[in-house]
Amino acid sequence: MPNPQDVLPLPPRPSLERYRKLAKELLKASKSSDETAISEWTNRWIEAIAKHTHGKRPAIEKTRDANRTERFAREQLSESCTLSSAQFVIARSHGFENWPKFVKHLNALAKQSSSLSRFEAAADAIITGKFAALRRLLREDPQLIHMRSTREHQATLLHYVAANGVENYRQKTPKNIVQITNLLLEAGAEIDATANVYGGGATTLGLAATSIHPELAGVQVGLLQTLLDHGASIEQLDSPRNRPQAVLSCLANGRLRAAAFLAERGAVLTLESAAGIGRLDLVRNYFEDGGVLKPSATQKQLESGFLYACGYGHTEVVQFLLTKCIDLATHGGDGQTGLHCAVIGGHLDTIKLLLQHNPPLDFENIYGGTVLGQTLWSAAHGGDPERYTAIIRTLIAAGARVPPRHAAINKQVDDLLKKHGSHTEPTWYWSEDEKPRF
């Protein structure tokens, strides 16, 4: 599978014999003259998993799982149409590096008294907030705190409190996660243990700071403070990346509050990260009196910092950096200019400031979206109708070209575009239950 997170959950009592049969069925489907055979095999498997795993999975998640698994199966079996290849597809789909490791996991899981069974139960207790159950498991088997998952990411139990990097279906943050974290640390969890995700060297603090789940649960700052109180290192300078990245990682993942929190507690800042958290006082310090960059900063940091400032709506920082000969067509390799970034963030004041400097309105990002095109996409995927209506009106007044036809977004935006000659296709709208979450 593409990464250790995109894995399928195991049923409560997985059967090795059932998986062996499943592999044979996949091999048979791959040799069938029916082009839909693998697709049908995948859909049956995904439906069976959804039926036997706890918690109702949204249809959109099941569709993504099915598409990803089918694509992976076709790729592997097109190279080698053998039983071992079919078994490899199943093992990797569940997050294991190969079939023998998957078999070993299932055999150990079949014994309820095994350490592996207890580790899996402890991981479930963490993400569901079952404090008493977790405490009991740690008392019964103190070595659990030092164990690592047998899945590819090799996470410890402490990593699961971050709700990031581990298997997607276990990325959940209960309200009592700070209490649970304290329990794990008091039991002897290694505070800076690393997991094999995102290139390796990922600590619990780093994963928690970049995770959306503790932020949505309203406990991210408390979780980060708890980890710091127990001696967690903010920067991992001996990691594979070997550079200060705590604040930048937060900014790259949309975690502005966590970025500012870590900056206040001693995270290393560069021109790029200082601009990203809106610290104009620090940004100014990277320039000589004549406006030239000091040796401690680079042009690349300047350009990246400008994009972050636009994306997070730090209008004062943007205004200052505009005096430093910024090319308004600059982007980070994805075609997203500062104006694109401001649109994605929905920052009207920043957009109005940038428009005063004649930015390129028709510059396309890697998805083929102009600034207005990006605006329409953002409006259709969770954007506030009133905010994006104002942004669209502002861009049109500045000369942005309105497409003759567009996919339906919402009535407020569609009515505005209709006044400018654009028509919807198709003419339907997301309901609140159906609306995608990105």
Side-chain angles (χ1 to χ4, degrees):
M1 298 295 279
N3 58 60
Q5 295 78 48
D6 294 331
V7 299
L8 303 174
L10 288 168
R13 290 178 294 277
S15 165
L16 178 56
E17 290 307 312
R18 177 69 188 95
Y19 276 108
R20 284 174 173 155
K21 181 180 179 182
L22 193 65
K24 292 178 181 178
E25 292 172 351
L26 173 57
L27 179 60
K28 181 179 179 181
S30 69
K31 292 181 177 181
S32 172
S33 59
D34 184 356
E35 294 183 356
T36 66
I38 292 181
S39 177
E40 292 174 355
W41 174 89
T42 304
N43 289 330
R44 287 195 302 271
W45 187 25
I46 298 301
E47 283 297 331
I49 290 173
K51 179 180 179 180
H52 295 294
T53 52
H54 53 273
K56 184 179 179 181
R57 305 195 73 207
I60 192 170
E61 288 186 12
K62 290 193 292 183
T63 299
R64 288 173 182 169
D65 285 344
N67 290 340
R68 186 165 49 234
T69 304
E70 179 184 348
R71 185 166 55 249
F72 181 62
R74 290 187 184 277
E75 289 173 356
Q76 295 300 315
L77 291 164
S78 66
E79 296 177 2
S80 175
C81 192
T82 63
L83 180 59
S84 61
S85 294
Q87 292 172 336
F88 177 73
V89 168
I90 292 173
R92 292 293 291 136
S93 295
H94 278 302
F96 297 89
E97 296 173 278
N98 53 52
W99 179 258
K101 288 187 177 181
F102 180 53
V103 170
K104 184 178 180 180
H105 180 90
L106 293 185
N107 287 334
L109 202 59
K111 303 173 184 177
Q112 292 186 356
S113 60
S114 70
S115 292
L116 187 143
S117 291
R118 289 177 174 175
F119 180 93
E120 293 294 309
D124 285 336
I126 290 170
I127 65 169
T128 54
K130 296 179 180 178
F131 182 88
L134 178 61
R135 182 173 56 187
R136 175 180 55 78
L137 287 165
L138 292 172
R139 284 177 177 172
E140 291 175 351
D141 191 347
Q143 292 305 308
L144 286 180
I145 202 66
H146 304 297
M147 282 185 63
R148 289 182 176 272
S149 171
T150 56
R151 291 178 174 82
E152 183 184 0
H153 53 64
Q154 296 183 320
T156 66
L157 288 176
L158 185 62
H159 286 106
Y160 280 91
V161 308
N164 187 8
V166 297
E167 47 273 27
N168 277 334
Y169 60 89
R170 276 178 167 160
Q171 293 185 19
K172 301 175 183 178
T173 301
K175 290 291 186 180
N176 64 341
I177 197 63
V178 172
Q179 183 184 15
I180 284 175
T181 302
N182 275 311
L183 173 63
L184 293 170
L185 291 167
E186 290 167 1
E190 183 182 345
I191 190 69
D192 284 334
T194 59
N196 186 30
V197 293
Y198 308 132
T203 64
T204 301
L205 178 72
L207 292 171
T210 55
S211 177
I212 190 174
H213 303 290
E215 180 180 69
L216 292 178
V219 296
Q220 187 169 45
V221 169
L223 175 57
L224 296 178
Q225 186 63 64
T226 297
L227 293 168
L228 290 175
D229 289 344
H230 284 80
S233 301
I234 295 178
E235 304 288 359
Q236 297 293 314
L237 298 183
D238 58 347
S239 71
R241 299 172 185 83
N242 194 31
R243 62 183 176 85
Q245 61 180 20
V247 172
L248 286 179
S249 294
C250 291
L251 293 173
N253 286 278
R255 309 279 79 80
L256 178 60
R257 187 179 181 190
F261 174 83
L262 293 181
E264 291 172 357
R265 272 123 185 111
V268 178
L269 291 177
T270 61
L271 168 58
E272 180 181 12
S273 52
I277 62 173
R279 289 292 302 274
L280 180 57
D281 56 328
L282 298 180
V283 170
R284 286 197 176 107
N285 291 336
Y286 286 97
F287 294 87
E288 304 284 2
D289 291 339
V292 179
L293 274 175
K294 291 182 178 179
S296 58
T298 66
Q299 182 66 25
K300 184 177 180 180
Q301 290 175 343
L302 169 60
E303 294 172 352
S304 181
F306 173 74
L307 295 176
Y308 275 130
C310 291
Y312 284 106
H314 302 312
T315 307
E316 289 186 351
V317 174
V318 173
Q319 187 170 25
F320 174 79
L321 294 180
L322 284 170
T323 66
K324 307 305 175 186
C325 299
I326 285 284
D327 181 357
L328 292 180
T330 191
H331 59 86
D334 55 5
Q336 303 282 33
T337 66
L339 191 53
H340 281 90
C341 294
V343 159
I344 293 171
H347 303 296
L348 184 57
D349 289 344
T350 306
I351 292 168
K352 289 180 177 179
L353 171 63
L354 290 169
L355 290 173
Q356 293 174 16
H357 295 264
N358 300 314
L361 295 175
D362 291 330
F363 194 96
E364 294 185 354
N365 58 26
I366 59 174
Y367 310 106
T370 63
V371 172
L372 182 56
Q374 176 62 63
T375 306
L376 299 183
W377 190 94
S378 297
H381 294 84
D384 176 69
E386 291 188 8
R387 177 182 299 183
Y388 275 93
T389 299
I391 292 173
I392 293 167
R393 187 178 290 113
T394 300
L395 291 174
I396 292 175
R401 290 184 295 177
V402 179
R405 302 193 73 81
H406 67 280
I409 299 172
N410 59 60
K411 190 174 187 306
Q412 190 170 344
V413 171
D414 290 340
D415 286 347
L416 171 61
L417 293 173
K418 185 177 181 180
K419 291 180 181 178
H420 292 272
S422 183
H423 298 278
T424 57
E425 183 181 317
T427 55
W428 50 266
Y429 301 90
W430 292 110
S431 71
E432 284 304 309
D433 292 334
E434 297 172 322
K435 187 181 294 182
R437 299 289 186 256
F438 293 88

